[in-house]
Amino acid sequence: MTSTPDYAEKIPNNVDLADDRRLQRALESWQPNFLSWWESMGPTLPTRDVYLRTAVNVGREGWAHFGHVAMRDYRWGIFLAERDPDRRIGFGEHQGEPPWQKVPGEYRSDLRRLIVIQGDTEPASVEQQRNLGATAPSLYDLRNLFQVNVEEGRHLWAMVYLLHAYFGREGREEAEELLHRNSGSQDAPRILGAFNEETPDWLSFFMFTYFTDRDGKYQLGTLKESAFDPLSRTCEFMLKEEAHHMMVGTTGVDRVVERTVQLTVEHDSDEVAARGGIPLDVIQKYLNFHYSVSLDLFGGETSTNVANYYTAGLKGRWLEGRRRDDHKLTSDSIMVDTVDEDGQIAQAEVAALVGLNTDLRREYIADCEGGVKRWNRILESAGLEARLKLPHVAFNRKVGAFAGIEATPDGERLSAQEWDLRRG
């Protein structure tokens, strides 16, 4: 079970850090490096009193404290969800066995890699958003930005704790590297492409928190199923905080669309830019970009690595417990996207285990469609005919089956020359 949260410690935690002095010293020696990274790569706007939510517990009776704090003094803590003594591994070849409290030697490298990739995304988004405070549309938006930033910092702490606690010297070295890579760096970029893109304005921020943080929701959801119990419990608690990030994106785009609609109706014209609005075709381009870049985060349509992760119990499916199959998938198949011999966008049948990236991507796509429907209801209620839409899955892809082709947002194949001409 988790211990009572110790909030008086230098590093607030509910993992009995004080009982492991070696681990505590290692994390306390990492803490100044984290604060140095925060000062150099975190928000550039000076802060004194920011009204922030701080994680202080994991129970249902209340897990957060709200109060004014200077961001550098924020209490980044380590919190794992409560341990379930009745939990059993829900999938793969270890299905039905008790979850692991230690890392099995044969899975050590794979688990470390999964934790590092997840951990690398957390500071990356802070780096991408560091200059946005100077142009915040309102105090409400500024507070939401800073809330997202400090919680991404806490998610980094969550992954660093796992690396330090369970992976020895290699884990400590990986934790240091998480602070040495930087978003967009030519020499040491972040691991995943979407986290090296710029977030130069607030519509980008809203789209990022809607689409890219939603990818984070699904990745955390698969890791929450992990047979490695400390990773599962870490991700379960992280999902509590992730919900706010997606709300910021959803309602942020809501307000952008509402303002465009208001100006369009008021002036009976879609020429809204000069009046302080963002034209719908520009909103659509932002949507196209952030959605397509986020699709790449799910990897290729097929993956033997992910099949092996599933079979070993390292990473499950979204809502694994609700799936009505044998949770082994050795005899199942799935249709995945592909490009056929004629260069046309098509489908192919593959073993379900190697198609797990496609399974997760489709769950994500269905979720994203909810936001688009929401924004279109705003347009419809105003009597406007224009509609926003998700682009085709082949549009602007750099990873997977469609990485070698170019396509329009409607899925029309283009030559490289046509793409260059029409890209804008």
Side-chain angles (χ1 to χ4, degrees), residues 246-280:
M246 293 182 291
M247 181 279 294
V248 169
T250 303
T251 59
V253 178
D254 278 0
R255 289 183 291 133
V256 172
V257 174
E258 285 169 351
R259 181 59 174 157
T260 298
V261 166
Q262 179 188 27
L263 291 169
T264 300
V265 172
E266 181 180 341
H267 298 279
D268 193 24
S269 170
D270 57 8
E271 299 292 331
V272 299
R275 299 182 173 98
I278 301 177
L280 284 176

Side-chain angles (χ1 to χ4, degrees), residues 70-89:
M71 289 176 70
R72 195 183 190 281
D73 298 329
Y74 189 81
R75 300 302 308 279
W76 284 283
I78 299 166
F79 296 98
L80 276 64
E82 294 176 345
R83 185 169 164 186
D84 179 1
D86 299 322
R87 184 182 178 232
R88 292 294 181 267
I89 299 170

